Amino acid sequence: MTHVPHKADPPRTERRIAVLGAGVMGVGITVLALGHGLPVLLVDVDEQRLDRARSGIEQELRMAQIMGSLPADVTTGRLETATTTDAVGDATAVVEAITEIAELKAKALAEVSARVRPGTPLISNTSSIPIDELAGHAERPAEVVGTHFMNPPYLIRTVEVIRGVRTGEDTMAAVGSLLTALDRRQVVVRDAPGFVTSRVLHPMINDAARVVQEGTASVEDVDALMEGCLGHPTGPLRTADLIGIDNLVDSLRVLHQHTGDDGCRPCDLLLDKVERGELGRKSGRGFYDYQEEN
Ligand code: NAD
């Protein structure tokens, strides 16, 4: 299909991305954008997170380039970091990847929406919060859209795009063109709690943890069965470690609150892990041990 340039469609050289949140996803999305030559302003309220993100981004960029998951012939974009959104006004797109707590996201979106130029897409990477709920906090709800990048975004080419009831045509066109520039394939879905991927995956991981909690099988055996018998690529519990168990619990809570589905109530084993700080790969331990990798 021929791509027709659109007024909300800046040429590659003029794209500037602002990413809010320098956690697991903010870092991965930044790597994806830098690796495609786009400059990124990465914002986090936590200076230590930004320090860790800078070295993490450098490592992940190098690894992704070696693995061939980023283009080899593109000059890496320039990275800037900040602890406030003061400089987001220049961005041609903002990607929000902060903690999965609706109030935090609402506040951040209200703030950036007052700073950016009209017509700038405000892209939320939320796992579960309905896009229209978030759009209600922006100055121009038509500019808010969901793009659910998966972890790590530079390895997973398919992106779930969520169109809220108020998301405008220009915003859909701009996000489509950005994803094309990032060599991602979009699948557009209707707005709903957890959309498609989290609505299906997160309760399944919750059940996998519940099976371990009930003593039916070990962590390793649950993953071995789901991989070996059902073709799950990494096993649900290793996937939980990759997502971050704290983020998974936040997402399950959003799903439970919005759907009333008891299968979405985070099980005790997940809650215990969060309480013990065993958050998965990012903390060095979750269902598995990653101390040697960190
Ligand atoms: P994370 O906990 O690793 O990082 C969140 C970051 O947001 C932290 O560094 C925190 O300091 C920062 N933050 C909090 N409030 C902020 C604010 N007002 N401004 C700027 N930064 C702020 O979380 P994550 O796993 O990267 O998830 C981020 C978002 O992406 C969540 O909405 C999550 O549901 C979604 N998501 C996560 C995954 C995954 O696999 N982890 C996959 C898809 C989508």
Side-chain angles (χ1 to χ4, degrees), residues 27 31 50-62:
V27 164
V31 169
L50 284 174
D51 283 346
R52 258 182 286 153
R54 275 186 290 265
S55 57
I57 286 166
E58 211 174 293
Q59 265 177 8
E60 288 192 43
L61 257 173
R62 214 172 319 123

Side-chain angles (χ1 to χ4, degrees), residues 201 204-205 208 222-223 226-227 232 234-241:
L201 178 68
M204 190 270 267
I205 298 178
V222 169
D223 277 352
M226 295 300 286
E227 284 171 32
H232 194 282
T234 44
L237 299 171
R238 204 175 280 285
T239 303
D241 280 357

Side-chain angles (χ1 to χ4, degrees), residues 2-263:
T2 318
H3 176 66
V4 181
H6 192 270
K7 71 179 161 58
D9 187 3
R12 186 186 190 106
T13 48
E14 287 173 20
R15 288 185 196 276
R16 287 176 308 279
I17 313 296
V19 176
L20 310 185
V24 172
M25 293 308 292
V27 164
I29 294 163
T30 299
V31 169
L32 174 69
L34 295 175
H36 282 87
L38 311 188
V40 176
L41 170 67
L42 177 61
V43 180
D44 201 293
V45 286
D46 182 341
E47 181 69 60
Q48 281 183 342
R49 287 282 194 143
L50 284 174
D51 283 346
R52 258 182 286 153
R54 275 186 290 265
S55 57
I57 286 166
E58 211 174 293
Q59 265 177 8
E60 288 192 43
L61 257 173
R62 214 172 319 123
M63 205 177 63
Q65 277 156 347
I66 291 169
M67 289 165 68
S69 35
L70 286 174
D73 55 344
V74 171
T75 308
T76 303
R78 205 166 92 89
L79 174 67
E80 284 179 74
T81 58
T83 51
T84 70
T85 58
D86 292 356
V88 298
D90 254 6
T92 57
V94 178
V95 182
E96 172 281 301
I98 74 172
T99 318
E100 185 75 355
I101 297 194
E103 295 72 27
L104 290 181
K105 288 191 187 285
K107 195 159 165 273
L109 281 170
E111 189 178 297
V112 288
S113 140
R115 292 192 194 276
V116 294
R117 282 172 300 216
T120 308
L122 304 179
I123 297 169
S124 176
N125 193 52
T126 176
S127 298
S128 301
I129 304 165
I131 294 305
D132 197 56
E133 184 181 314
L134 295 174
H137 299 275
E139 285 196 358
R140 295 167 297 277
E143 291 167 3
V144 179
V145 60
T147 57
H148 193 193
F149 288 96
M150 296 282 148
N151 183 25
Y154 47 86
L155 281 186
I156 302 183
R157 280 200 64 227
T158 303
V159 179
E160 183 179 27
V161 172
I162 304 101
R163 180 171 194 164
V165 284
R166 287 181 279 179
T167 307
E169 279 304 331
D170 284 3
T171 306
M172 291 306 290
V175 86
S177 135
L178 174 63
L179 290 172
T180 302
L182 297 173
D183 193 26
R184 301 302 94 176
R185 167 180 177 254
Q186 62 167 344
V187 176
V188 180
V189 304
R190 195 173 64 81
D191 196 13
F195 331 117
V196 174
T197 51
S198 304
R199 184 71 183 91
V200 174
L201 178 68
H202 292 184
M204 190 270 267
I205 298 178
N206 197 27
D207 270 342
R210 202 174 275 127
V211 161
V212 173
Q213 179 185 304
E214 289 164 357
T216 310
S218 67
V219 168
E220 291 77 7
D221 287 349
V222 169
D223 277 352
L225 287 166
M226 295 300 286
E227 284 171 32
C229 300
L230 298 175
H232 194 282
T234 44
L237 299 171
R238 204 175 280 285
T239 303
D241 280 357
L242 191 63
I243 292 173
I245 299 173
D246 52 343
N247 175 236
L248 179 67
V249 163
D250 286 341
S251 171
L252 282 164
R253 284 193 171 124
V254 171
L255 281 170
H256 184 240
Q257 186 195 344
H258 282 81
T259 63
D261 177 349
D262 244 14

